[in-house]
Amino acid sequence: MTVKLYTATSLDGYIATENDDLQWLFDVDGEGDNGTGSFYAGIDVIVMGKKTYDYIIREESGQWAYGEKTVYVLSHTTHGNNDQVTFIKSINQIPEFEAGLINSTKNVWIMGGGQINRLFLEKHLVDEIIITIAPVLLGKGKELFPEGDYGENLQFVSSKTYGQFVELTYRVLR
């Protein structure tokens, strides 16, 4: 199993404005889908936080783009399932992270937000970090990597450009 943290960020490290606005991201000239389609094709499981889930539902007008994938939403308040996702309270409730499946061939996408990124990093569960940087300075907002009890050494793997975006891929060294 490979756990991939894959997201876009402003140059100063924010994944959204303070009020969860992402318009700044769509205002940047990219190239096609900026590599998301090929990344997504290799993913089996998606993990996101409740705020990210709520944003997707709100912005996509009820259209669910991840229908064929297994999706888990980490939430302190909502539990159970719906037609699209399984709501859980803890990483330990994700079957792919139970001891018997840790070596499976599934690829897991940590979609975010920042608190989910921090949680997975603190548990040393991230194998690869793929960050697409937009040439925008927000000054403040939701941090890509909130302060936490984690530290990882990384190995640079590759870089790609998609119009004005730069994608950086790193392998987490253990």
Side-chain angles (χ1 to χ4, degrees), residues 12-166:
D12 53 351
Y14 297 103
I15 56 177
T17 65
E18 288 181 317
N19 62 347
D20 295 321
D21 183 28
L22 296 178
Q23 187 57 47
W24 59 272
L25 190 59
F26 301 109
D27 290 342
V28 176
D29 289 330
E31 185 177 297
D33 67 0
N34 299 318
T36 301
S38 61
F39 172 81
Y40 182 77
I43 293 300
D44 304 297
V45 176
I46 300 171
V47 180
M48 67 181 77
K50 179 75 164 57
K51 289 181 184 177
T52 300
Y53 172 77
D54 289 342
Y55 176 86
I56 291 168
I57 294 299
R58 183 177 64 249
E59 294 300 314
E60 299 297 325
S61 302
Q63 298 293 329
W64 185 246
Y66 311 107
E68 73 278 9
K69 305 293 182 184
T70 300
V71 181
Y72 299 101
V73 177
L74 288 165
S75 173
H76 297 294
T77 59
T78 306
H79 303 102
N81 302 334
N82 65 29
D83 292 340
Q84 300 139 345
V85 304
T86 300
F87 291 94
I88 56 173
K89 289 179 84 169
S90 164
I91 290 174
N92 297 331
Q93 292 179 302
I94 300 174
E96 285 74 12
F97 290 98
E98 291 175 353
L101 295 176
I102 197 72
N103 294 319
S104 75
T105 59
K106 292 185 177 185
N107 287 312
V108 178
W109 174 10
I110 306 306
M111 184 183 279
Q115 298 304 320
I116 301 301
N117 296 346
R118 186 192 75 210
L119 180 63
F120 274 80
L121 286 167
E122 285 180 339
K123 293 187 174 289
H124 303 286
L125 293 172
V126 177
D127 299 305
E128 193 171 88
I129 298 174
I130 306 163
I131 305 295
T132 302
I133 301 171
V136 174
L137 296 172
L138 294 177
K140 58 184 175 179
K142 307 289 173 110
E143 295 175 310
L144 170 61
F145 297 118
E147 184 176 323
D149 188 21
Y150 59 86
E152 299 285 8
N153 291 317
L154 307 174
Q155 178 182 22
F156 175 75
V157 175
S158 66
S159 65
K160 298 177 187 169
T161 58
Y162 299 98
Q164 293 294 307
F165 291 96
V166 176

